[in-house]
Amino acid sequence: MVLTIHHLGISQSERILWLCEELGLPYTLVKHVRAPVLAPESLKSLPGNPLGRAPFIEDSATGVTLSESGAIAEYIIQRYGGGRLAVGPEAEAREYAEYLYWFHFANATLQPALQVSMFIGLAKLEDGAMVKGLAEKRLHVALKQLDDRLGESKWLAGAEFTAADIMTVYCVSTQRYYGLGSLAGYGNVLRYLGDCGGREGYRRAMERGDPEMEPLLGAEAPGKSLIEGGGTESDVWKKRK
Ligand SMILES: N[C@@H](CCC(=O)N[C@@H](CS)C(=O)NCC(=O)O)C(=O)O
């Protein structure tokens, strides 16, 4: 197996497992456990991973090591996936543009809005605090745009499931263990999460990467953020026995 995926539990690296499962690519999985919120030494000390974050991959065929979900997804798709799950410039121009837009929207707009909102939530500001209002507005605008797109299209790029979907689902599922909470009012996103969660590749990735975690695909999320609950030591993220 040429690809080694370093996966941090309850994290964005679930995207890369899911991508490989969808592409049917074999990989060696190395799991790291949060300590109890941030990355453990096992991830931070890996050569070639200066930020110490996940996802992080090693390609034994080329010696390449790589971070950043989006870069890793493109690397794997183009190098080992024969371009599957991407939309290239040879496609119809609108579909190509939609693919590029939503692939990048996930980490360039949606994830930053969610993280700002997460930190504002942890700061426990008063309801009328200006910065809280700004963060909520920014997040709502991003979610509304996503919801509108999913109201007109089954998948983000168009009629076919692509890596743009793989980039996006973490933001509106597992990330909610850290903040966002309810998706009530974003019915198209919920329909979409049901479709994504029903995919065999998604199920296999979650079962391999985070078998203890309850996939967060419904409208409601735990009232308490995983961070407040003590990270992995809390049980808000765990499957009910
Ligand atoms: N933009 C990066 C973000 C990577 C990232 O922040 N990963 C988090 C997990 S969601 C992490 O490793 N956190 C551990 C830490 O910051 O110590 C990507 O998409 O790969």
Side-chain angles (χ1 to χ4, degrees), residues 8 11-12 15 34 38-39 43 52-55 68-70 107 170:
L8 179 65
S11 92
Q12 296 179 58
R15 292 168 170 155
R34 291 177 181 271
L38 296 179
L43 187 58
R53 295 198 183 145
E68 281 297 336
S69 316
N107 261 5
Y170 167 84

Side-chain angles (χ1 to χ4, degrees), residues 63-109:
V64 162
T65 59
L66 198 57
S67 303
E68 281 297 336
S69 316
I72 295 172
E74 292 205 51
Y75 181 87
I76 292 177
I77 286 171
Q78 299 307 336
R79 204 161 174 99
Y80 295 110
R84 283 176 297 143
L85 297 183
V87 179
E90 68 287 351
E92 189 267 315
R94 174 53 29 211
E95 198 185 331
Y96 178 44
E98 294 286 2
Y99 172 75
L100 289 176
Y101 180 79
W102 292 107
F103 183 96
H104 291 283
F105 176 87
N107 261 5
T109 294

Side-chain angles (χ1 to χ4, degrees), residues 25-213:
L25 294 176
Y27 57 95
T28 300
L29 178 62
V30 180
K31 293 201 216 181
H32 301 268
V33 178
R34 291 177 181 271
V37 174
L38 296 179
E41 207 44 46
S42 60
L43 187 58
K44 291 193 284 192
S45 60
L46 288 171
N49 190 20
L51 289 178
R53 295 198 183 145
F56 176 70
I57 63 159
E58 297 168 287
D59 178 348
S60 64
T62 59
V64 162
T65 59
L66 198 57
S67 303
E68 281 297 336
S69 316
I72 295 172
E74 292 205 51
Y75 181 87
I76 292 177
I77 286 171
Q78 299 307 336
R79 204 161 174 99
Y80 295 110
R84 283 176 297 143
L85 297 183
V87 179
E90 68 287 351
E92 189 267 315
R94 174 53 29 211
E95 198 185 331
Y96 178 44
E98 294 286 2
Y99 172 75
L100 289 176
Y101 180 79
W102 292 107
F103 183 96
H104 291 283
F105 176 87
N107 261 5
T109 294
L110 187 54
Q111 187 63 15
L114 286 159
Q115 284 181 330
V116 167
S117 170
M118 171 183 88
F119 286 119
I120 298 275
L122 289 171
K124 303 279 177 225
L125 301 177
E126 287 166 22
D127 271 349
M130 188 185 71
V131 68
K132 192 171 172 185
L134 288 175
E136 280 168 2
K137 190 162 180 217
R138 180 164 282 215
L139 179 56
H140 170 67
V141 167
L143 286 171
K144 171 87 170 57
Q145 198 196 357
L146 181 67
D147 198 66
D148 288 348
R149 172 64 180 157
L150 292 168
E152 63 184 24
S153 181
K154 179 167 167 67
W155 306 110
L156 287 169
E160 302 297 330
F161 174 84
T162 67
D165 302 299
I166 292 178
M167 287 297 291
T168 303
V169 166
Y170 167 84
C171 307
V172 278
S173 58
T174 308
Q175 169 66 32
R176 286 193 287 144
Y177 278 123
Y178 299 93
L180 167 64
S182 176
L183 279 177
Y186 302 102
N188 299 317
V189 176
L190 290 170
R191 183 278 300 161
Y192 171 74
L193 283 178
D195 290 348
C196 290
R199 295 182 69 88
E200 277 303 312
Y202 181 84
R203 289 174 195 235
R204 280 198 301 274
M206 294 303 131
E207 212 34 57
R208 262 193 95 174
D210 290 274
E212 283 184 274
M213 182 180 79

